[in-house]
Amino acid sequence: MKTAICYYSRHHGNTLKVLEAMAGEGKVDLIDVTARQAVRLEAYDCVGFASGIYGFEFQKAVVEFARQYLPQGKPVFFVYTYGGAKGTGPKAVAEIARERSCPVLGEYSCKGYDTFGPFKLVGGIAKGHPDQRDLDNARKFYREIQTHHSLE
Ligand SMILES: Cc1cc2nc3c(=O)[nH]c(=O)nc-3n(C[C@H](O)[C@H](O)[C@H](O)COP(=O)(O)O)c2cc1C
């Protein structure tokens, strides 16, 4: 199974750490949505969309990327990290997937070290995350997606 994960990860690279753990489990291309490139998501068996949570939602660039490139009917999944309040999480990108009749295979989220705004004064929250357990759970999540795919 060939997978693309289109992501935005800036604050501490927390989301990218999770994605790199997943990528170790199979054939996964990690696509930074802010890099200028021509992408053909048609070439993949499934597509993940991933982001840190900023202002209670996915970064807009990920949502716009999905709007621009997500092919009709492509199986998708969502991954995100957050400091403590995930808000609407992947809702906006899930809405695009729904409009394009893309089956949703699942979502994985975990805490990610957060030093935004006032949290900086207290040394940040969700310190040490993603930790080993978060990464192990991420690998497990991706393996389950692969199993699901191979059974179809
Ligand atoms: C500008 C900004 C806004 C954030 N807003 C939220 C938020 O609304 N809820 C939350 O739980 N965490 C919030 N966080 C914390 C991040 O979601 C968390 O640190 C995440 O792991 C960052 O992922 P990244 O390192 O991959 O960018 C925010 C962080 C930043 C920098």
Side-chain angles (χ1 to χ4, degrees):
M1 182 176 89
K2 214 174 145 207
T3 301
I5 307 181
C6 313
Y7 74 95
Y8 181 96
S9 175
R10 278 296 179 285
H11 188 36
H12 289 287
N14 296 327
T15 311
L16 185 56
K17 276 181 210 154
V18 169
L19 301 182
E20 282 170 345
M22 289 183 181
E25 298 295 311
K27 276 193 218 152
V28 179
D29 286 346
L30 299 180
I31 301 175
D32 179 345
V33 299
T34 65
R36 274 169 175 262
Q37 57 200 326
V39 282
R40 280 194 42 82
L41 296 182
E42 287 79 3
Y44 295 92
D45 299 303
C46 79
V47 176
F49 290 98
S51 177
I53 295 294
Y54 317 98
F56 306 106
E57 57 189 17
F58 263 41
Q59 223 278 340
K60 296 255 177 326
V62 178
V63 180
E64 285 316 308
F65 199 87
R67 206 184 305 285
Q68 192 172 354
Y69 295 111
L70 178 62
Q72 193 79 21
K74 184 68 68 185
V76 292
F77 63 93
F78 310 120
V79 180
Y80 55 98
T81 66
Y82 61 101
K86 56 181 139 178
T88 56
K91 189 164 177 255
V93 70
E95 184 61 27
I96 294 168
R98 195 187 61 77
E99 283 164 11
R100 302 201 183 162
S101 312
C102 299
V104 177
L105 304 177
E107 72 175 54
Y108 178 76
S109 68
C110 67
K111 295 276 176 75
Y113 182 44
D114 178 7
T115 53
F116 177 58
F119 296 131
K120 197 169 184 169
L121 303 174
V122 294
I125 57 170
K127 245 187 202 163
H129 290 276
D131 63 10
Q132 208 48 52
R133 206 169 130 226
D134 298 326
L135 299 181
D136 285 344
N137 286 336
R139 291 185 188 99
K140 189 165 158 240
F141 168 83
Y142 185 68
R143 282 199 300 271
E144 280 166 10
I145 283 187
Q146 277 181 310
T147 310
H148 174 94
H149 177 80
S150 65
L151 293 177
E152 276 184 353

